[in-house]
Structures are given as C-alpha cells and as structure tokens.
Amino acid sequence: MSAERLLKLTEKYLKQVIKTISFTNNEEIGREILGAVKGRPRTEDVEIKLDRICEEIFEEFVESSKLSVRVFSEHGDYGDSSPEYLCSIDPFDGSGLYRRGFEFEWYSVLTFFNLDGNPVVGGAADI
C-alpha cells in the first residue's frame, strides 16, 4: 500500500534531517543566506543554506522512492506533473533562530495528501 511507503519515506526523511542538523550545528555551517522566501519580506524570513540542505535530502528521498508525488515547499515546487500524491513541506523551520545561533524551535514538517486534498500521512521533527 502506498500510504505505508509514504510513512516509511516520512520517517526516513525526518531521521536524516535530525542527524544532518545535529552534525551541521556542531560544525556551525549552513547559516549563509541564499535569498528571500517567495511571498515574504526579508525581514520575516530568508532561505539559508540549511534550508536548501534539508530540501535536497527530501527531494532525493522522494526521487529514490519511485512514488508519484508533487511537492509544494516555501522554496519551490517540484516532482511529478501528474502525481498520485501531493506534499506540503517546510524542510527546516526556524532558520532565523538557527542563523542567529539559538538552539531551539527548529522543526521539519510535512504532510502528504491525496488528490482530493485529504491528508494521508504527516510528520514533524522537533529538532
């Protein structure tokens, strides 16, 4: 069943994000500003390198899963143009705090929906 595969993908992704951010924070990398977040003023939110790192992890996992998914992220949309599932994701929430060196309120959240907009699987990591 695809819902089980979505759940496994979600768990695998969130575990990898936690592992990656734990390593990245110790190295103090990923804080560089890459640009604005579409639809938001720079004073509210910017994309940092760690946002991109987490997004790339998810994109790679989706591609390797062979699931038909269209992804909607604050950093762009990608995936199948005729998907079986939709996904909404914030790969790293808390980038402003992370960039300033605060070690709290970091999350990664995502939800998979069927084409009718009903949630199928969701997950969140409180990093």
Side-chain angles (χ1 to χ4, degrees):
M1 177 179 217
S2 292
E4 290 175 21
R5 291 179 61 206
L6 291 171
L7 181 58
K8 287 181 183 180
L9 170 66
T10 299
E11 290 174 333
K12 181 178 173 182
Y13 163 72
L14 293 173
K15 286 178 182 179
Q16 184 61 46
V17 164
I18 290 169
K19 182 178 176 182
T20 299
I21 292 173
S22 296
F23 172 77
T24 302
N25 187 42
N26 291 337
E27 298 296 316
E28 295 191 16
I29 59 174
R31 290 184 167 90
E32 312 87 84
I33 296 174
L34 301 180
V37 173
K38 187 177 179 179
R40 294 187 181 170
R42 285 182 74 91
T43 55
E44 180 184 320
D45 197 7
V46 293
E47 180 182 12
I48 63 172
K49 180 68 175 174
L50 191 54
D51 289 316
R52 179 84 45 92
I53 290 168
C54 294
E55 187 85 50
E56 288 171 353
I57 291 168
F58 185 69
E59 188 170 3
E60 181 180 309
F61 283 1
V62 168
E63 287 175 9
S64 67
S65 75
K66 305 294 188 212
L67 289 163
S68 177
V69 179
R70 182 74 183 162
V71 180
F72 299 92
S73 170
E74 66 182 0
H75 306 296
D77 305 340
Y78 54 90
D80 290 346
S81 57
S82 297
E84 183 178 354
Y85 296 99
L86 306 174
C87 180
S88 174
I89 184 170
D90 188 341
F92 183 71
D93 186 28
S95 55
L97 295 168
Y98 179 81
R99 196 168 53 84
R100 290 172 181 85
F102 293 104
E103 295 188 16
F104 53 83
E105 294 187 30
W106 303 341
Y107 301 93
S108 185
V109 295
L110 68 154
T111 304
F112 287 96
F113 301 88
N114 65 22
L115 297 182
D116 293 326
N118 297 314
V120 178
V121 171
D126 181 349
I127 306 158

